[in-house]
Amino acid sequence: MRAPVGGLFRHVVDLAAAQAARGHRVGIVADASTGGDRAAAVFEGLKSALALGLARVPMSRELGAADWSAGRAVARFIADKQVDVVHGHGSKGGAFARLAGGSRLKVYTPHGGSLHYSRGTPVGFVYLTLERVLAARTDLFLFESLFGLNAFAAKVCKPRGTVRVVHNGVSEGEFAAVPLRQDATDLLFIGELRHLKGIDVLIDAIALLRGRGRALTATIVGDGPDAGLFRQKAMDAGLSGAVTFAGALPAREAFARGRLLVVPSRAESLPYVVLEAGAAGLPVLASAVGGIGEIFGPDADRLVAAGSDWALAGAIEAALDDPDETRATAARLRDRIQAGFSVDAMAEGVLTAYGAALAARRAG
């Protein structure tokens, strides 16, 4: 993988730990320039489980000349180990895994990545064309949502070889409730502060509701490239006293800071924050994007149109005006996550898919 941050990082760490616990020899290659102290601490705690070791290699987010040296470093790491499977996560990690994987089983999980782009844009055209080229070098496609599979088929090509959908999962301990702080705000956002996540839509929705006389408060947890823009937007909207930017925090610590988690994203794959908050029993109001509907199941009709501050404002108002139904929806979401979105089920699904792809190679 490239950047050890966010849901992709959590997925890789959980999967690696679960595979190692089942007796498999596992190693990780990740970018050396991102993740900071938190990633370093997580890796330090995981090191003893990584029989094949950990390599931190500088990897740029965008395409560039540095990819050549990074790719060679990944290839050297793989060549030094007895590796049967090379599993690439995200667009850049997936590219390195398939280009450097040689004759080993090459597995790809997009985690959104290039699939967030449109072929009608210059950048999207380049990335999606590269995805099509690399698809021919892929033995196993693992999608974390049915949405991801359908998006790949529509934007890139129909994936060949072995194809599986294996949902992300959370651990049993995450189903414990998180007590709210005394200063908890009405609303809570947790995630990377960038345009794709829709924080601007949330700020506009809050401004609309306050204009109607509803004195809402919100806490925004996270950091990212557009953090300054969102802070300025809140100030310009006169929300400096209503919207608090708390910086990056662990998810369960952040859950104590708000009564209703809002996920106003313009695009997603299968976001962990929805699984984590839902498991903890925190009410969740989310956009109808990506695989979020797969998590909500029968309650997917409660999801909100992405990018609309009016729709989001109306949904927030409805959730706050009917607390009994909001709590009931949260309880149903928690039960659904507990039944079908566990770390154990995720690990078993991935390992079963590896086995099926290896068997297909032997048979073919």
Side-chain angles (χ1 to χ4, degrees):
M1 64 179 168
R2 191 189 67 83
V5 297
L8 186 156
F9 183 37
R10 163 159 187 177
H11 175 89
V12 171
V13 169
D14 284 352
L15 184 59
Q19 290 173 337
R22 286 160 172 77
H24 298 282
R25 299 171 66 245
V26 184
I28 292 179
V29 184
D31 177 37
S33 58
T34 51
D37 293 340
R38 181 178 180 276
V42 172
F43 280 136
E44 186 62 33
L46 188 63
K47 261 187 178 179
S48 62
L50 299 178
L52 298 181
L54 168 70
R56 302 294 301 272
V57 175
M59 299 181 190
S60 61
R61 182 184 183 94
E62 307 298 339
L63 293 172
D67 290 338
W68 175 252
S69 59
R72 291 184 64 186
V74 173
R76 285 195 299 270
F77 180 86
I78 294 171
D80 288 342
K81 318 292 181 183
Q82 283 189 316
V83 176
D84 301 305
V85 177
V86 182
H87 191 160
H89 295 266
S91 300
K92 186 61 71 79
F96 285 140
R98 290 174 288 177
L99 291 171
S103 61
R104 301 161 185 86
L105 188 81
K106 293 177 285 294
V107 185
Y108 178 41
T109 301
H111 294 278
S114 299
L115 302 183
H116 290 323
Y117 290 91
S118 166
R119 190 173 283 276
T121 64
V123 173
F125 178 81
V126 171
Y127 285 162
L128 295 173
T129 299
L130 290 174
E131 288 281 9
R132 184 189 291 267
V133 172
L134 289 169
R137 302 175 65 96
T138 310
D139 301 299
L140 168 62
F141 286 92
L142 275 172
F143 296 95
E144 68 275 43
S145 65
L146 181 60
F147 167 82
L149 168 56
N150 291 337
F152 191 92
K155 292 187 174 185
V156 181
C157 63
K158 182 178 180 180
R160 295 177 291 181
T162 306
V163 181
R164 295 285 189 277
V165 173
V166 178
H167 288 130
N168 297 331
V170 291
S171 62
E172 191 60 35
E174 292 175 86
F175 289 89
V178 177
L180 289 174
R181 290 166 43 136
Q182 286 189 341
D183 62 349
T185 53
D186 300 305
L187 309 177
L188 175 67
F189 170 88
I190 305 172
E192 188 178 10
L193 303 191
R194 58 181 177 132
H195 181 261
L196 186 75
K197 297 297 184 178
I199 300 98
D200 58 316
V201 181
L202 175 58
I203 292 170
D204 286 339
I206 294 169
L208 280 172
L209 290 170
R210 287 180 70 88
R212 299 174 192 169
R214 191 141 203 165
L216 289 178
T217 56
T219 300
I220 296 178
V221 175
D223 202 355
D226 297 326
L229 294 175
F230 296 137
R231 288 191 178 92
Q232 186 62 52
K233 183 175 181 65
M235 289 179 60
D236 293 345
L239 299 177
S240 297
V243 177
T244 300
F245 288 83
L249 295 169
R252 288 182 66 82
E253 181 180 337
F255 293 156
R257 295 177 177 242
R259 296 180 179 87
L260 175 66
L261 179 74
V262 183
V263 184
S265 301
R266 291 180 167 87
E268 286 287 355
S269 183
L270 195 84
Y272 266 103
V273 69
V274 174
L275 295 173
E276 293 165 340
L282 182 66
V284 179
L285 178 62
S287 299
V289 296
I292 294 177
E294 295 169 49
I295 304 174
F296 275 76
D299 284 317
D301 59 352
R302 297 176 178 272
L303 300 176
V304 184
S308 170
D309 53 356
W310 287 92
L312 183 60
I316 290 171
E317 198 163 38
L320 296 178
D321 285 346
D322 193 348
D324 290 341
E325 180 55 30
T326 298
R327 284 192 293 268
T329 302
R332 291 194 298 271
L333 178 62
R334 184 180 184 276
D335 290 344
R336 180 170 170 81
I337 292 169
Q338 193 160 32
F341 296 84
S342 71
V343 170
D344 283 343
M346 178 184 74
E348 288 300 328
V350 169
L351 289 169
T352 299
Y354 289 171
L358 287 166
R361 288 187 73 179
R362 290 193 293 268

